[in-house]
Amino acid sequence: ICHRISNSDSIEALGSEIADWLDANAHDINAWQVIRAWLSAGGSPDVVADTSLTWLRLHGLELHAQFVFKSWLDSGGALGHVGTQVLDWLGIHSAAPEARFVYQAWLDAGGAIDSVRVHVLGWVQRHALLAETRFVCRSWLNAGGAPASIEAPVVRWLERYAVSPDADFLLYAWLGRGGAFEVVERYACAWFHEYCHEERASFLAKQLSVIKALPEITIRDIARWVYRFPSHEDALFRISRISPVLTARISISVETRAA
């Protein structure tokens, strides 16, 4: 039945069949696979709302209940529908590597930060060196979590992955949330220097270009990016942000030489 869902051209046309199957099999420990397949394919949460609760009452403390929580929250299902079960599950599995899927889905769906604060902060401390930890840290920041509360694990993560291709998403979230530039300066500047020849670097340049105390090499890297992608919709904005700094430094340099 999961195969039929994933290969269906009209997912909603299967709604009645899926609802009937789940009504008959909601107690089956493997029914989570059908719930996940339906929600992941874009099916309406309403179709599986009752049966997902039935399944969670029976199996909600199993590790693989994460798949039901994640697919439900990612599909736009109501937070209150699974909120109690999520917190009960975290009471057992909060430190498991797989818990990242639940933290990310909960925070991205607008779940209350205070409900998972202790669990999230403990998890990112424990798993700071996992490549996937960037997703939890980014979701925490995007949800309004305080940067200072995850500073240590963010720095540990950046020590290992600062110039990985996707590190800019965490750096962008950190700076966008008002995290101290000094904390990530050398990592952000190193990443931008590495990727300033790529169009995608515009994403991080947006945050870097508003910082007044940028290192000169980073200012020049932003200028290089603008020179390489002059027709990019953000090019004029980026160069306008760093032009006053460049002008001021050139003036200081000229005055120093004249003296």
Side-chain angles (χ1 to χ4, degrees), residues 33-172:
Q33 297 177 40
V34 176
I35 296 171
R36 179 180 67 166
W38 173 258
L39 293 171
S40 298
S44 170
D46 293 341
V47 172
V48 298
D50 292 337
T51 47
S52 63
L53 274 185
T54 298
W55 188 89
L56 286 171
R57 290 190 189 104
L58 294 170
H59 309 293
L61 297 182
E62 300 289 339
L63 182 62
H64 51 259
Q66 62 173 295
F67 297 114
V68 175
F69 298 139
K70 175 175 168 52
S71 56
W72 177 267
L73 294 169
D74 286 350
S75 69
L79 281 160
H81 189 73
V82 296
T84 299
Q85 289 84 354
V86 166
L87 297 180
D88 289 344
W89 185 89
L90 288 174
I92 297 175
H93 303 291
S94 63
E98 296 86 351
R100 74 175 181 86
F101 297 109
V102 178
Y103 295 135
Q104 187 180 352
W106 178 266
L107 293 168
D108 289 350
I113 288 181
D114 288 342
S115 298
V116 297
R117 181 185 304 276
V118 173
H119 296 312
V120 170
L121 297 183
W123 191 92
V124 295
Q125 288 284 356
R126 178 186 292 267
H127 300 290
L129 297 182
L130 285 180
E132 296 80 8
T133 296
R134 70 186 186 277
F135 296 117
V136 179
C137 290
R138 184 179 65 180
S139 293
W140 171 263
L141 294 166
N142 289 341
S149 62
I150 59 169
E151 178 178 325
V154 164
V155 170
R156 288 181 63 203
W157 189 90
L158 289 170
E159 284 285 351
R160 175 172 289 190
Y161 301 106
V163 293
S164 60
D166 295 329
D168 59 324
F169 291 104
L170 176 55
L171 291 164
Y172 181 92

